[in-house]
Amino acid sequence: MHQAIAILDSGVGGLTVAKEVMRQLPQEEIIYFGDTERAPYGPRAADEVLKFTEQIVSYLLQFNPKMIIIACNTATAIALQHIRSQVGIPVVGVVQPGARAAIKKTRSGTIGVIGTENTIRSGAYQHALQAINPHIQVVGLACPTLVPLVEKRLYRSNEAKQTVRESLRPLMNSPIDCLILGCTHYPFLASAIAEVIGPRVAMISSADETAREVSAILHHRGQLAQSGKIPVHRFFCSGDPGMFQAIAQEWLGEQIKVSPVFWQMTRLSGN
Ligand code: DGL
């Protein structure tokens, strides 16, 4: 039976993972949900992020997906274990793949992580990295001003360059040789970030390794799509569909349709 891969994020950030899944697994159909109305999740209370993630997962389950990717570090840090225990299909987060990618790359063993307040506060990357290698040193930095820039489609602006520069200042004298983009929105700002950190620090995004993990799980389960047809992806968002569509088309380089889900989210959140 034909089943899609469901991908969720607080907003447009998970598109950075979706794009890599589309590239590595071109036969797979994607159903994407961006909770743009309620982004950012970074400064929200953990129980709220947990509730929102549960709501989106139950929304996505109506499409009978074969797998769920929580393409949001904040939701992964807070809700991954809970969601895994609730649903009967594989649920992949982005923290573990990001940690693995950094471990592969680092030579000095000192790794920087930037993310939302919730992600950094949770210590999720520190745990994931040190579970693999307890000698790894982790330097974490919350960058709360970056996600709103991306959601407003300002990732190519001078304001974005300036904000990235100011946000990363605390890392400037740190001996890291890798920097994990511990928020799926940050690849939108990759060129501004690269300019600030310079060529000696490798920038790590979870997207590539997450897509590889998805591919391996589907292969192992005998669930890789084999239609031979170009899949039709579906996109849903809870906020302004025009803004979501503009960002998604720019990032994915293709025309897409976006379905707004205002009423569903209103009903789900009980307002
Ligand atoms: N893309 C989400 C993440 O990876 C952004 C979180 C937010 O909405 O603040 O953490």
Side-chain angles (χ1 to χ4, degrees), residues 2-7 18 22 25-32 63 225 227-236 252 254-259:
H2 171 75
Q3 287 177 296
I5 298 172
I7 302 183
M22 291 172 188
L25 297 165
Q27 301 203 94
E28 299 295 337
E29 183 186 313
I30 307 274
I31 300 173
Y32 185 95
F63 299 102
S227 70
K229 294 191 206 129
I230 297 171
V232 179
H233 306 305
R234 281 174 285 178
F235 296 86
F236 299 88
L252 299 174
E254 61 186 68
Q255 301 292 308
I256 62 151
K257 273 204 299 208
V258 182
S259 308

Side-chain angles (χ1 to χ4, degrees), residues 39-60:
Y41 282 6
R44 289 185 180 274
D47 58 351
E48 200 166 36
V49 174
L50 184 70
K51 190 177 102 187
F52 291 175
T53 310
E54 267 186 329
Q55 289 172 343
I56 299 167
V57 166
S58 63
Y59 182 81
L60 288 168

Side-chain angles (χ1 to χ4, degrees), residues 9-10 40-42 72-74 116 147 183-185:
D9 180 45
S10 64
Y41 282 6
C72 174
N73 291 266
T74 311
T116 68
V147 168
C183 172
T184 52
H185 281 72

Side-chain angles (χ1 to χ4, degrees), residues 38-260:
R38 300 188 293 195
Y41 282 6
R44 289 185 180 274
D47 58 351
E48 200 166 36
V49 174
L50 184 70
K51 190 177 102 187
F52 291 175
T53 310
E54 267 186 329
Q55 289 172 343
I56 299 167
V57 166
S58 63
Y59 182 81
L60 288 168
L61 286 175
Q62 71 179 304
F63 299 102
N64 189 31
K66 57 185 168 187
M67 176 184 279
I68 294 172
I69 307 175
I70 302 185
C72 174
N73 291 266
T74 311
T76 298
I78 292 171
L80 178 65
Q81 295 313 328
H82 174 71
I83 300 294
R84 275 190 178 148
S85 71
Q86 299 295 306
V87 303
I89 53 175
V91 184
V92 172
V94 282
V95 171
Q96 197 67 40
R100 277 202 309 268
I103 294 267
K104 271 198 263 180
K105 195 82 188 174
T106 189
R107 293 289 172 266
S108 72
T110 304
I111 296 174
V113 183
I114 52 173
T116 68
E117 302 95 305
N118 266 324
T119 300
I120 299 302
R121 195 183 313 122
S122 73
Y125 273 99
Q126 178 140 0
H127 296 148
L129 289 162
Q130 292 178 345
I132 300 170
N133 178 351
H135 302 296
I136 295 284
Q137 298 288 317
V138 184
V139 182
L141 177 68
C143 299
T145 50
L146 302 187
V147 168
L149 283 171
V150 176
E151 288 292 328
K152 285 188 228 146
R153 206 183 165 196
L154 294 174
Y155 36 85
R156 296 213 179 111
S157 65
N158 283 333
E159 183 188 345
K161 281 190 187 161
Q162 188 57 29
T163 310
V164 165
R165 188 165 293 283
E166 280 160 21
S167 299
L168 298 187
R169 193 162 289 144
L171 285 181
M172 286 304 85
N173 293 319
S174 126
I176 58 170
D177 70 345
C178 290
L179 179 64
I180 299 176
L181 305 187
C183 172
T184 52
H185 281 72
Y186 296 171
F188 280 93
L189 298 161
S191 58
I193 294 170
E195 213 171 284
V196 175
I197 61 172
R200 277 197 292 270
V201 178
M203 205 163 44
I204 312 283
S205 134
S206 328
D208 179 50
E209 190 73 22
T210 302
R212 205 171 321 180
E213 182 172 327
V214 167
S215 177
I217 293 171
L218 291 180
H219 174 72
H220 185 72
R221 293 169 65 91
Q223 284 187 312
L224 283 167
Q226 288 164 342
S227 70
K229 294 191 206 129
I230 297 171
V232 179
H233 306 305
R234 281 174 285 178
F235 296 86
F236 299 88
C237 76
S238 58
D240 173 6
M243 180 60 108
F244 183 94
Q245 185 185 37
I247 297 173
Q249 290 186 164
E250 198 160 59
W251 183 257
L252 299 174
E254 61 186 68
Q255 301 292 308
I256 62 151
K257 273 204 299 208
V258 182
S259 308

